[in-house]
Amino acid sequence: MSNYVKIFDTTLRDGEQSPGASMTSTEKLELARNLARLGVDIIEAGFPAASPDDLEAVRLIANEVGNPPSGEEQTQVPVICGLARATRGDIDKAWEAVKGAQKPRIHTFLATSEIHMKQKLRMDREQVVEQAAEMVAYARSLCDNVEFSPEDAGRSDPNFLYIVLGEAIKAGATTLNIPDTVGYTMPEEFGALIAGIIANTSGMSDEITISVHTHDDLGLATANALAGIHAGARQAEVTINGIGERAGNTSLEEVVMALKTRFPVYALETGIDTTQISRLSKLVSKFTGIPVQPNKAIVGANAFTHEAGIHQDGMLKSNQTYEIMRPEDVGVNQTQLVLGKHSGRHALRVRLAEMGHVLDEVELDQAFTRFKELTDRKKVATYADLEALIADEFYQPLSVYTLDGLQVTCGTMGMPTATVRLKGPDGEVHTQASIGTGPVDATYKAINTIVNKGNTLIEFNIHAITEGIDALGEVTVRIQGNNGHQSMDAQKELSYSRIYSGHGADTDIIVASAKAYINALNKLFILQTEMETVRSV
Ligand code: KIV
Ligand code: ZN
């Protein structure tokens, strides 16, 4: 059996199903590029049948990331996968979306637990076996890389799974993914389920990859995935930061670092460049607006911080007393590496390239201007500052509105008042003054008056990126679109009330707050326009 575990990243599909995690197609493409650079083997780019804009986003990723122009630096071309229910319509759409990739895959699924078959599908066992086999064969007639998942396998009868999976192999599936859809199983059970499938499914061979897909409802997703891998699975379906439906999916960084740190236990490898993990975690958090909890394994802000005196004393004597991984192995130590006020363009270019951001001349000019503004105010720019600056400058969706000026008066001596100047879609400048309960409220009211797009602010988070009172402040917000239309079909109404996130960074926290809000509003505009455009063609 191979000693290589394929990493199947589903941040863009299962991850994007987290409430509020909607990303624009520009962000999805940027994330897919970074996932390829991280070294994932398969990118599940979306669920093309979910909506025309999902299909377009998957197609874009398949054509660009799954088919890089020859000569372009890309470590390895990943497989690009599209999800499909086991129906011809879904499979056609998935194929339509992924066929431009050099290595396309169709991933189709059908539920096999009694509760799902009876309550959701209203099908009996024979019908499920028949439909699974028929649809795998249909997918295989289009694409020679087909993955089949018996949804809710964790609560399915193992003997029935052996039959369905055997038929899926016969029909041409090359990967059998075993989902614990509702995060119900215990590690021993899940390990035994995988071992049972390998031992009892007819047609199993080294050509067939068994995959694990575990959810975190009981906090056991990583433990279950590792138990499945220990039992013989050689693909893990994961998301960055563990984002996903409900309590989320198995997190990529946990599985990869467990295999690496405890290599003697598993003797298994992955193709992940672990030094990029921290950067990807931050990127996903920015794009989705979902913050990472401070105590999150591997990527949380406290994961490598030592507070207790005894721990600090131990760390000073030897890092190994309280650290089982080296922070630099996940790309965390760079906070020490600072560039200063006097650093030049070349130093900035080299540092950004080390961080994985290869900029062209125009982009470097933009970044250098921002860098100079920052170091004029803050003297030094750490790794974290540079990441925030790059995200703020380049990872914003194409702007509809940009902040052109902001002045705020606040404090105890008068009404908080904000005067905001925004550049609009056609370059026209709008100025508006508003009063509010505080400076952020006043600023957001002024922005709303100019933008005039119904929305509700549902979350506002602010934190300092580095230590010290001169630190960059980073703001993330989440807003919910209000449709404001009287008659709308259900799908359109759903898409209008989606949650959009935005982020902004600046040494002035009111400016960072304004940028974050404008970023979220831009996303709302862009995603609604993308939906409208794709639907009208
Ligand atoms: O959790 C699940 O069952 C899934 C399938 C579509 C693989 O995400
Ligand atoms: Zn899932």
Side-chain angles (χ1 to χ4, degrees), residues 194-201 204:
I194 298 295
I197 287 169
I198 293 172
N200 298 307
T201 302
M204 279 300 300

Side-chain angles (χ1 to χ4, degrees), residues 233-437:
R234 288 295 176 265
Q235 175 177 289
E237 300 204 349
V238 291
T239 61
I240 304 279
N241 297 341
I243 64 168
E245 286 274 1
R246 308 181 309 280
N249 286 64
T250 315
S251 83
L252 178 147
E253 59 277 11
E254 292 176 15
V255 169
V256 168
M257 289 315 289
L259 293 177
K260 185 176 166 106
T261 309
R262 303 304 310 277
F263 185 80
V265 176
Y266 296 95
L268 293 171
E269 292 184 340
T270 70
I272 298 298
D273 170 3
T274 61
T275 62
Q276 298 195 37
I277 283 178
S278 170
R279 192 171 64 77
L280 264 284
S281 162
K282 293 195 174 88
L283 194 64
V284 168
S285 178
K286 284 195 174 102
F287 284 173
T288 58
I290 300 176
V292 176
Q293 74 196 55
N295 58 324
K296 166 82 179 63
I298 322 290
V299 291
N302 295 348
F304 295 96
T305 310
H306 306 271
E307 187 76 21
I310 296 171
H311 288 211
Q312 288 183 348
D313 179 54
M315 283 296 290
L316 289 171
K317 290 174 177 148
S318 161
N319 289 5
Q320 287 176 3
T321 51
Y322 288 103
E323 265 177 14
I324 58 164
M325 292 164 272
R326 295 182 319 158
E328 55 269 36
D329 286 348
V330 294
V332 163
N333 70 330
Q334 289 90 337
T335 28
Q336 270 64 278
L337 309 170
V338 295
L339 289 183
K341 198 173 160 54
H342 302 295
S343 307
R345 273 174 112 255
H346 180 67
L348 180 66
R349 183 205 293 273
V350 170
R351 175 61 43 77
L352 291 177
E354 282 166 10
M355 291 162 61
H357 304 293
V358 182
L359 306 185
D360 63 27
E361 290 304 316
V362 178
E363 290 169 335
L364 185 64
D365 281 346
Q366 275 170 262
F368 192 61
T369 308
R370 286 291 303 269
F371 168 75
K372 281 288 170 200
E373 283 167 13
L374 176 68
T375 49
D376 272 349
R377 282 190 269 169
K378 191 179 174 281
K379 308 273 183 295
V380 292
T382 63
Y383 177 92
D385 290 328
L386 293 177
E387 279 297 358
L389 185 152
I390 289 293
D392 199 50
E393 189 68 30
F394 299 109
Y395 295 159
Q396 304 279 3
L398 283 176
S399 294
V400 180
Y401 286 95
T402 49
L403 184 65
D404 197 44
L406 172 64
Q407 191 181 9
V408 178
T409 48
C410 62
T412 54
M413 316 236 307
M415 293 286 249
T417 310
T419 308
V420 173
R421 205 168 57 223
L422 296 187
K423 245 196 207 127
D426 303 321
E428 75 279 26
V429 174
H430 307 262
T431 307
Q432 177 69 39
S434 295
I435 52 170
T437 53

Side-chain angles (χ1 to χ4, degrees), residues 10 13-14 17 179-181 213-215 237 245-246 248-249:
T10 182
R13 198 279 297 170
D14 223 340
Q17 286 174 219
D180 181 19
T181 303
H213 177 117
T214 48
H215 279 268
E237 300 204 349
E245 286 274 1
R246 308 181 309 280
N249 286 64

Side-chain angles (χ1 to χ4, degrees), residues 13-14 83 107 109 149 151-152 177 179 181 213 215:
R13 198 279 297 170
D14 223 340
L83 183 70
H107 174 192
F109 69 98
S149 292
E151 192 192 7
D152 204 17
N177 177 47
T181 303
H213 177 117
H215 279 268

